[in-house]
Amino acid sequence: MPGMFDRLRGARAEAVAPAYPPGKRMYCVGDIHGRADLLAELHGQIQRDAAAYDGQCQVLYLGDYIDRGEQSRQVLELLLEQPLAGFEHFHLLGNHERAVLDFLVDPVAMAGWLVWGGRATLYSYGIHAGPMPSRDELRALRDGLDAKLPDAHRDFLENCLPAHAEGSYYFVHAGVRPGVTLDRQELGDQLWIRDEFTRSTANHGAIVVHGHSISEQAELLPNRIGIDTGAFYSGVLT
């Protein structure tokens, strides 16, 4: 994404002041994890809230659309077939999307994906995974998913963005590595980092908006905003 980080280089000692481009409003959605029911409800709330706004409305999804909840396929169908009309859309990559893509390449090496919530995703595509699949069974599960995954779903997963920057905000799934400028962040950290980021009080050069690390309520801090409220079990999609 050439040029997108130029205005965010060189973190200052003080906290970054919240700022967003005039005439734009961003709605940001946390980790959905197979809860199409909650996503449909939240879409309705967003549409009602945006109805009186006459500027450009944007909606950004922080990744982890699949796994754990029972409606992974339905979540992707909703995002693809019923997008919010009139909104500019951004879909970020989560670690669970990266995991299923890796499973499709090497199911034996990525057997852990089943434990992380992949069984629920397979089930949503009509594939049943036993409790302790063998290597051959893992390959059969991969082949089954490869056959049943619609091309549109595959394209969606493969084309999610690693991050998005706008105004004084940096949107990313898991977070950033403290002390590393935003234009030099590694994808592994953007998808997986947790304590090193969430415990940091450092100025990251932007206000980082993220999911991945579950909290009971949205975390609104000077250097970051966390909005993963564990929708798959809490019933709260933020």
Side-chain angles (χ1 to χ4, degrees):
M1 291 174 280
M4 71 178 291
F5 300 107
D6 291 348
R7 63 192 179 281
L8 300 176
R9 295 176 188 272
R12 304 185 302 277
E14 69 273 14
V16 175
Y20 209 70
K24 290 185 178 182
R25 175 185 288 180
M26 173 68 85
Y27 294 88
C28 189
V29 180
D31 302 33
I32 301 164
H33 274 308
R35 289 299 302 267
D37 55 335
L38 298 179
L39 179 58
E41 180 182 352
L42 188 58
H43 272 184
Q45 294 175 359
I46 290 172
Q47 286 177 313
R48 290 190 293 273
D49 188 77
Y53 183 67
D54 59 2
Q56 173 64 60
C57 287
Q58 303 171 309
V59 60
L60 181 145
Y61 305 86
L62 286 170
D64 281 6
Y65 313 99
I66 63 171
D67 295 352
R68 295 181 175 166
E70 297 180 352
Q71 303 165 331
S72 292
R73 176 176 184 143
Q74 292 88 334
V75 167
L76 298 187
E77 288 173 347
L78 194 157
L79 292 172
L80 289 167
E81 299 173 12
Q82 301 178 54
L84 289 171
F87 283 68
E88 184 178 11
H89 297 79
F90 303 91
H91 301 101
L92 301 192
L93 182 71
N95 60 305
H96 285 258
E97 285 75 53
R98 184 67 264 166
V100 70
L101 290 171
D102 291 343
F103 181 84
L104 286 167
V105 174
D106 191 342
V108 175
M110 288 301 298
W113 172 63
L114 300 180
V115 179
W116 309 332
R119 281 188 175 84
T121 294
L122 290 174
Y123 187 77
S124 74
Y125 287 95
I127 302 167
H128 176 72
M132 296 183 65
S134 66
R135 287 171 174 259
D136 288 343
E137 288 170 335
L138 287 167
R139 295 186 183 99
L141 291 171
R142 184 271 310 277
D143 293 345
L145 180 59
D146 191 51
K148 292 191 175 184
L149 190 67
D151 289 342
H153 293 198
R154 190 189 305 270
D155 290 344
F156 176 92
L157 295 169
E158 291 178 345
N159 289 287
C160 288
L161 302 171
H164 177 72
E166 194 149 358
S168 61
Y169 295 90
Y170 182 79
F171 303 90
V172 66
H173 175 64
V176 299
R177 174 71 58 181
V180 178
T181 58
L182 295 177
D183 59 334
R184 295 185 180 276
Q185 293 291 326
E186 295 185 0
L187 182 60
D189 286 330
Q190 292 174 312
L191 298 183
W192 288 97
I193 198 167
R194 204 179 297 277
D195 291 348
E196 302 97 318
F197 167 66
T198 59
R199 294 176 180 175
S200 174
T201 59
N203 180 338
H204 304 300
I207 301 169
V208 179
V209 184
H210 67 96
H212 187 61
S213 295
I214 296 174
S215 56
E216 290 187 8
Q217 297 179 333
E219 297 180 299
L220 307 177
L221 301 172
N223 64 345
R224 68 178 181 88
I225 299 173
I227 62 168
D228 181 3
T229 45
F232 70 95
Y233 73 87
S234 70
V236 178
L237 178 60
T238 297

